Short mmCIF file of all heavy atoms in Angstrom, two decimals:
data_model
loop_
_atom_site.label_atom_id
_atom_site.label_comp_id
_atom_site.label_asym_id
_atom_site.label_seq_id
_atom_site.Cartn_x
_atom_site.Cartn_y
_atom_site.Cartn_z
N LEU V 9 9.51 4.74 -18.50
CA LEU V 9 9.32 3.84 -17.35
C LEU V 9 8.67 4.57 -16.24
O LEU V 9 9.11 5.68 -15.87
CB LEU V 9 10.78 3.34 -16.94
CG LEU V 9 10.88 2.19 -15.99
CD1 LEU V 9 10.29 0.94 -16.58
CD2 LEU V 9 12.32 1.99 -15.62
N GLU V 19 2.42 -6.11 -15.32
CA GLU V 19 2.85 -7.28 -16.05
C GLU V 19 1.95 -7.41 -17.30
O GLU V 19 0.74 -7.18 -17.24
CB GLU V 19 2.71 -8.54 -15.22
CG GLU V 19 3.71 -8.65 -14.08
CD GLU V 19 5.04 -9.18 -14.54
OE1 GLU V 19 5.30 -9.31 -15.82
OE2 GLU V 19 5.92 -9.43 -13.70
N ALA V 64 -15.08 -2.06 -6.11
CA ALA V 64 -14.61 -1.01 -7.04
C ALA V 64 -14.41 0.28 -6.32
O ALA V 64 -15.33 0.80 -5.69
CB ALA V 64 -15.59 -0.87 -8.18
N GLY V 91 2.49 10.46 8.84
CA GLY V 91 2.49 11.39 7.69
C GLY V 91 1.08 11.62 7.08
O GLY V 91 0.04 11.44 7.79
N VAL V 116 9.20 15.06 10.78
CA VAL V 116 8.85 14.43 9.45
C VAL V 116 10.00 13.44 9.08
O VAL V 116 11.17 13.73 9.24
CB VAL V 116 8.80 15.54 8.29
CG1 VAL V 116 8.65 14.83 6.95
CG2 VAL V 116 7.67 16.49 8.60
N HIS V 141 1.27 1.29 7.33
CA HIS V 141 2.49 0.45 7.21
C HIS V 141 3.63 1.16 6.54
O HIS V 141 4.71 1.26 7.12
CB HIS V 141 2.10 -0.84 6.51
CG HIS V 141 3.13 -1.91 6.68
ND1 HIS V 141 3.01 -3.17 6.18
CD2 HIS V 141 4.36 -1.94 7.34
CE1 HIS V 141 4.07 -3.90 6.51
NE2 HIS V 141 4.86 -3.17 7.20
N SER V 145 3.93 9.31 1.74
CA SER V 145 4.37 10.74 1.67
C SER V 145 5.79 10.86 2.18
O SER V 145 6.49 11.82 1.82
CB SER V 145 3.39 11.65 2.49
OG SER V 145 3.56 11.43 3.86
N ALA V 156 1.13 -4.11 16.38
CA ALA V 156 -0.12 -4.97 16.47
C ALA V 156 -0.07 -5.78 17.81
O ALA V 156 -1.08 -5.98 18.41
CB ALA V 156 -0.14 -5.95 15.29
N ALA V 212 -12.62 -8.67 13.96
CA ALA V 212 -13.19 -7.45 13.31
C ALA V 212 -14.63 -7.78 12.84
O ALA V 212 -15.56 -6.95 13.00
CB ALA V 212 -12.35 -7.05 12.13
N TRP V 233 -21.75 -5.94 1.28
CA TRP V 233 -20.73 -6.62 0.54
C TRP V 233 -20.37 -8.03 1.01
O TRP V 233 -19.96 -8.92 0.21
CB TRP V 233 -19.44 -5.78 0.56
CG TRP V 233 -19.48 -4.50 -0.27
CD1 TRP V 233 -19.59 -3.24 0.26
CD2 TRP V 233 -19.70 -4.40 -1.67
NE1 TRP V 233 -19.72 -2.32 -0.74
CE2 TRP V 233 -19.77 -3.01 -1.91
CE3 TRP V 233 -19.69 -5.30 -2.72
CZ2 TRP V 233 -19.92 -2.53 -3.21
CZ3 TRP V 233 -19.88 -4.77 -4.02
CH2 TRP V 233 -19.98 -3.40 -4.27
N ARG V 244 -21.35 -19.02 -6.17
CA ARG V 244 -22.73 -18.76 -6.46
C ARG V 244 -22.90 -17.35 -7.02
O ARG V 244 -22.11 -16.45 -6.67
CB ARG V 244 -23.56 -18.80 -5.16
CG ARG V 244 -23.88 -20.19 -4.66
CD ARG V 244 -24.91 -20.09 -3.51
NE ARG V 244 -24.31 -19.76 -2.23
CZ ARG V 244 -24.42 -18.58 -1.66
NH1 ARG V 244 -25.09 -17.59 -2.16
NH2 ARG V 244 -23.81 -18.34 -0.46
N GLY V 249 -23.50 -4.29 -6.09
CA GLY V 249 -23.08 -3.22 -7.08
C GLY V 249 -22.20 -3.95 -8.14
O GLY V 249 -21.48 -4.80 -7.78
N ALA V 262 -2.76 -11.33 -11.34
CA ALA V 262 -1.71 -10.75 -10.52
C ALA V 262 -1.52 -11.53 -9.22
O ALA V 262 -0.40 -11.78 -8.81
CB ALA V 262 -2.01 -9.26 -10.21
N VAL V 267 1.41 -15.26 -5.52
CA VAL V 267 1.46 -16.55 -4.78
C VAL V 267 2.52 -17.41 -5.29
O VAL V 267 3.25 -18.07 -4.54
CB VAL V 267 0.03 -17.24 -4.92
CG1 VAL V 267 0.08 -18.64 -4.38
CG2 VAL V 267 -1.05 -16.43 -4.12
N SER V 282 15.25 -2.03 -3.43
CA SER V 282 15.29 -0.83 -2.57
C SER V 282 16.69 -0.44 -2.15
O SER V 282 17.10 0.73 -2.25
CB SER V 282 14.32 -1.02 -1.42
OG SER V 282 14.44 -0.02 -0.53
N VAL V 299 14.41 9.22 8.75
CA VAL V 299 15.55 9.69 9.53
C VAL V 299 16.45 8.61 9.97
O VAL V 299 17.54 8.89 10.47
CB VAL V 299 15.07 10.50 10.77
CG1 VAL V 299 14.30 11.78 10.33
CG2 VAL V 299 14.13 9.68 11.66
N THR V 321 13.09 20.94 -12.33
CA THR V 321 13.97 20.76 -13.41
C THR V 321 14.58 19.32 -13.42
O THR V 321 14.59 18.61 -14.43
CB THR V 321 15.17 21.75 -13.38
OG1 THR V 321 14.61 23.10 -13.38
CG2 THR V 321 16.11 21.57 -14.54
N LEU V 322 14.99 18.85 -12.23
CA LEU V 322 15.52 17.50 -12.10
C LEU V 322 14.49 16.49 -12.60
O LEU V 322 14.85 15.61 -13.36
CB LEU V 322 15.95 17.20 -10.70
CG LEU V 322 16.42 15.80 -10.39
CD1 LEU V 322 17.58 15.37 -11.30
CD2 LEU V 322 16.68 15.55 -8.93
N LEU V 323 13.25 16.63 -12.09
CA LEU V 323 12.24 15.65 -12.49
C LEU V 323 11.94 15.66 -13.96
O LEU V 323 11.76 14.65 -14.60
CB LEU V 323 10.93 15.81 -11.66
CG LEU V 323 11.10 15.64 -10.11
CD1 LEU V 323 9.76 15.81 -9.40
CD2 LEU V 323 11.67 14.22 -9.79
N ALA V 329 14.93 11.73 -19.85
CA ALA V 329 15.87 10.59 -20.04
C ALA V 329 15.10 9.29 -19.93
O ALA V 329 15.74 8.20 -19.95
CB ALA V 329 16.95 10.67 -18.96
N ALA V 343 8.14 20.74 -1.44
CA ALA V 343 9.00 21.20 -2.59
C ALA V 343 10.40 20.73 -2.44
O ALA V 343 11.21 20.94 -3.36
CB ALA V 343 8.98 22.72 -2.64
N ALA V 353 6.36 -5.53 -10.14
CA ALA V 353 7.20 -6.28 -11.09
C ALA V 353 8.62 -5.71 -11.23
O ALA V 353 9.35 -6.21 -12.08
CB ALA V 353 6.47 -6.27 -12.44
N GLY V 364 20.34 5.51 -13.81
CA GLY V 364 20.99 6.16 -14.96
C GLY V 364 20.25 7.43 -15.39
O GLY V 364 20.89 8.46 -15.60
N ILE V 366 18.36 9.25 -13.47
CA ILE V 366 18.52 10.30 -12.40
C ILE V 366 19.90 10.96 -12.58
O ILE V 366 19.99 12.17 -12.44
CB ILE V 366 18.42 9.63 -10.97
CG1 ILE V 366 16.95 9.21 -10.73
CG2 ILE V 366 18.93 10.60 -9.91
CD1 ILE V 366 16.67 8.43 -9.46
N GLY V 374 22.68 20.67 -13.54
CA GLY V 374 23.88 21.40 -13.13
C GLY V 374 24.53 20.88 -11.85
O GLY V 374 25.32 21.58 -11.25
N ALA V 385 27.19 1.96 -7.44
CA ALA V 385 26.69 1.59 -6.07
C ALA V 385 25.48 0.66 -6.26
O ALA V 385 25.42 -0.35 -5.46
CB ALA V 385 26.34 2.87 -5.30
#
Side-chain angles (χ1 to χ4, degrees):
L9 192 63
E19 290 280 8
V116 174
H141 194 177
S145 72
W233 293 110
R244 281 190 280 106
V267 170
S282 173
V299 296
T321 302
L322 172 60
L323 295 183
I366 291 172

